[in-house]
Amino acid sequence: MAAVKRLKRVAALQPGFISFESSAGSDDLNSGRRKRVNKNKKKNWNKHSDIQDVEEFLDDVRLQERATGGLISEKPDDSLFFVDIGDQKKSVQPEVQEGKKGKKSKSRPLRIDLILQHDSLVPPPKDILAHQQPNAKKLRRIAENAEKLAAMGVLPRRQKRLLNRRPATKTSKAKTAANNFPDRPYYDLWGVEAKETADPYYLEQTGKSRVKRPEKLNAKPSILPAVEVIAPGGSYNPDFFSHQALLLEAHEVEVKREKAELRIERQLAVKQEDTATEETVFQELVEGLVEEDEDEEEEEDVSIRGGLQQEKKTEKERKRERADKIKSQQKQAARVFTDKKQQLFQLRSIQATLKRREQRTRERVAQRKANQEAEKSMPRRLGRLKFQAQDLEIQLSDEISGSLRTLKPEGSVLKDRFKSMQKRNMIEPRERAKFKRRHKLKYVEKRAFKEIT
């Protein structure tokens, strides 16, 4: 071994020798000493470890897999060897194509196709991402639950809907009559449209049928008419009694308004008892000085109570209490049982009580329905402000004119329509926006005005 190394070193020192190894290998040959490396460190493992034999083995394994599809040592003998029985002459008749006479048919593929052909027997690596599915765990759990329900005979909700859906009625299309038929009915342009006979689910999905409008949207917010007719007393030439009745109604409205104003004034007024006097002022100044003695007495009482300790109960007293508790429970149960037996003899009175209760319930239901009907004609609270009815447009007895020419107009049509919409719950009650100036007005006298003055 030493002679072989010496021979390699001598050959490498020759001037015309070309080495196939790297420069690092020639340096190792030239150097007489072996380089000492610490292999305890992981960074020196690949750098100073000889793995050439491992790489050659792996290259050989890859070559066998590409060429034969696996290791030759694992292949059976029938796939590696065959029995040589000599040459056998086969009479092969050349096939002559009809389109090419006098030329040999080329059965071999082109060279470019052979180059591009996949010659490796190693199967392509499996693409894991191609087989992955988002939410696979959740979908698997749903499928397992569906299988369990199907085994129990329970159908899912979607399948139930499909089964409960009404099948479409099959109707044969009516044949249109010929144009030359004189008794045929004329087409009504303004007539009612023909009803769709197809499946409603199909019409809904295809957009051919409109979504059913909720009944609540068709209901009016109020049952009041758009234009309310004034009472007969509001005519330009009313009857005496009807005019007096309208005046009385306006008078009651004004009385209610005055009462509300007086109530607010009474609530805001200062009572005579609440006014400060010399005695009350002196009591406020002295308050807190006399209460110190009372606090000291309360502290002494608390200390005396805390000093008393509760005596401990004996076993005999506890047994007596337990027995009394059991007796009271038994008495209570016996009383309940007796009451239930007595109720058998009170069936008539109980039946009369139930009838009275049912009658009271029916009266409450009727009253509730009446209140709901009355609320339909009343304005609701739609905003932060409460609806205030418009003042009655009425003329006094001395202002009535017997002619339309001399009639004095009252109120405003625009304001009346606005109040009517508020009363019918179409818009919320509003108040006029307050205009607030950002900057104060500044008055300046012009020079021309000063010259005149």
Side-chain angles (χ1 to χ4, degrees):
M1 193 70 183
V4 175
K5 286 185 178 180
R6 194 182 306 111
L7 184 60
K8 287 182 179 180
R9 196 180 303 113
V10 172
L13 293 174
Q14 297 296 327
F17 180 75
I18 299 175
S19 176
F20 289 99
E21 297 180 357
S22 60
S23 60
S26 62
D27 294 341
D28 293 341
L29 292 173
N30 294 333
S31 61
R33 293 182 181 180
R34 186 177 179 182
K35 197 171 186 180
R36 299 183 66 181
V37 179
N38 186 10
K39 291 189 178 182
N40 292 334
K41 296 182 180 179
K42 192 174 181 180
K43 65 179 183 179
N44 295 331
W45 289 357
N46 296 334
K47 187 176 181 182
H48 300 286
S49 298
D50 188 11
I51 57 172
Q52 186 67 24
D53 52 349
V54 179
E55 291 181 352
E56 289 177 357
F57 172 74
L58 293 177
D59 291 339
D60 188 20
V61 170
R62 296 191 195 101
L63 178 61
Q64 293 180 25
E65 288 179 351
R66 287 197 304 271
T68 62
L71 296 177
I72 297 176
S73 59
E74 298 176 357
K75 294 283 183 180
D77 296 341
D78 297 339
S79 62
L80 298 176
F81 305 101
F82 64 93
V83 181
D84 188 4
I85 57 174
D87 295 336
Q88 291 183 355
K89 294 181 180 180
K90 296 181 181 179
S91 58
V92 180
Q93 295 180 358
E95 298 178 358
V96 180
Q97 297 182 0
E98 296 179 356
K100 299 179 181 179
K101 295 182 179 180
K103 292 183 181 179
K104 296 180 180 179
S105 61
K106 296 181 180 180
S107 60
R108 291 189 304 170
L110 298 175
R111 182 171 179 78
I112 185 63
D113 295 335
L114 293 174
I115 293 172
L116 296 176
Q117 189 177 2
H118 184 71
D119 57 349
S120 177
L121 297 178
V122 179
K126 186 178 180 181
D127 189 5
I128 301 175
L129 297 177
H131 299 279
Q132 288 183 351
Q133 187 178 7
N135 298 330
K137 191 174 181 180
K138 180 181 177 182
L139 296 175
R140 194 184 311 112
R141 187 172 61 253
I142 293 172
E144 291 175 357
N145 293 336
E147 290 178 359
K148 289 180 181 179
L149 293 176
M152 295 168 59
V154 181
L155 296 176
R157 188 183 300 174
R158 185 176 297 177
Q159 195 168 355
K160 282 183 181 179
R161 288 181 180 176
L162 293 175
L163 293 175
N164 296 333
R165 196 173 67 188
R166 187 177 62 182
T169 56
K170 295 183 179 180
T171 56
S172 59
K173 293 184 179 180
K175 295 183 180 180
T176 56
N179 294 335
N180 56 1
F181 184 61
D183 296 334
R184 72 180 186 277
Y186 288 97
Y187 175 71
D188 190 4
L189 182 62
W190 311 108
V192 182
E193 297 181 358
K195 294 183 179 180
E196 293 286 349
T197 58
D199 186 10
Y201 179 77
Y202 169 75
L203 296 175
E204 183 180 350
Q205 295 298 322
T206 53
K208 294 183 179 180
S209 67
R210 296 182 179 178
V211 181
K212 186 178 179 181
R213 183 181 176 87
E215 295 295 336
K216 190 175 181 181
L217 296 180
N218 297 330
K220 292 184 178 180
S222 178
I223 60 174
L224 294 175
V227 180
E228 295 183 11
V229 182
I230 196 171
S235 176
Y236 71 96
N237 191 14
D239 185 17
F240 176 75
F241 295 102
S242 59
H243 185 260
Q244 291 297 320
L246 190 62
L247 282 175
L248 180 61
E249 185 178 352
H251 174 70
E252 290 177 353
V253 172
E254 291 296 331
V255 169
K256 287 182 180 179
R257 188 177 299 172
E258 287 182 1
K259 286 183 178 180
E261 292 178 357
L262 290 174
R263 189 186 305 111
I264 294 173
E265 289 180 0
R266 285 197 303 270
Q267 292 175 356
L268 297 177
V270 180
K271 296 180 181 180
Q272 188 68 23
E273 300 172 357
D274 297 338
T275 55
T277 60
E278 294 182 359
E279 294 180 0
T280 56
V281 171
F282 180 73
Q283 287 179 1
E284 289 179 359
L285 294 173
V286 180
E287 189 176 2
L289 300 177
V290 189
E291 294 179 357
E292 294 180 358
D293 299 335
E294 297 178 358
D295 295 340
E296 292 177 357
E297 292 177 0
E298 290 179 358
E299 291 178 358
E300 291 177 359
D301 294 341
V302 170
S303 61
I304 293 169
R305 291 171 189 170
L308 297 175
Q309 293 183 357
Q310 191 175 3
E311 296 180 358
K312 189 175 181 181
K313 294 180 181 179
T314 61
E315 188 68 23
K316 189 176 181 179
E317 292 177 350
R318 290 179 181 175
K319 287 182 179 180
R320 189 183 300 114
E321 288 182 358
R322 196 179 301 114
D324 294 341
K325 187 176 181 181
I326 293 172
K327 285 181 181 179
S328 62
Q329 290 178 356
Q330 290 176 354
K331 287 182 181 180
Q332 184 71 17
R335 191 180 299 111
V336 172
F337 181 72
T338 306
D339 293 342
K340 288 183 179 179
K341 288 179 66 177
Q342 290 294 331
Q343 286 180 0
L344 294 174
F345 304 100
Q346 297 175 359
L347 290 178
R348 291 184 179 180
S349 61
I350 292 172
Q351 190 174 4
T353 306
L354 291 176
K355 286 184 179 180
R356 287 196 300 270
R357 189 179 298 174
E358 290 177 358
Q359 181 66 22
R360 198 181 304 114
T361 304
R362 285 195 293 268
E363 291 176 358
R364 288 178 181 175
V365 170
Q367 183 66 27
R368 193 181 299 112
K369 287 184 179 180
N371 294 338
Q372 290 177 358
E373 292 295 329
E375 287 178 357
K376 290 182 180 179
S377 60
M378 298 293 292
R380 295 195 298 267
R381 187 71 174 265
L382 301 179
R384 63 182 184 86
L385 299 177
K386 193 176 180 180
F387 173 75
Q388 295 181 358
Q390 191 179 4
D391 296 336
L392 289 174
E393 299 173 358
I394 186 172
Q395 294 181 346
L396 302 177
S397 300
D398 55 351
E399 295 177 354
I400 296 175
S401 61
S403 174
L404 284 173
R405 293 183 178 179
T406 59
L407 180 66
K408 184 180 177 181
E410 293 283 344
S412 172
V413 178
L414 182 61
K415 189 176 181 179
D416 179 69
R417 291 297 87 208
F418 192 71
K419 284 288 184 181
S420 175
M421 294 175 72
Q422 290 182 358
K423 192 174 182 180
R424 288 181 288 152
N425 302 319
M426 298 179 70
I427 58 175
E428 72 280 1
R430 303 173 185 176
E431 61 181 2
R432 191 178 184 87
K434 297 179 181 178
F435 176 72
K436 187 177 181 181
R437 290 186 179 277
R438 190 173 181 182
H439 303 288
K440 293 183 179 180
L441 289 175
K442 185 177 181 181
Y443 294 96
V444 180
E445 290 185 359
K446 293 187 178 181
R447 188 177 300 171
F449 181 76
K450 287 182 179 180
E451 292 177 357
I452 296 172
T453 57

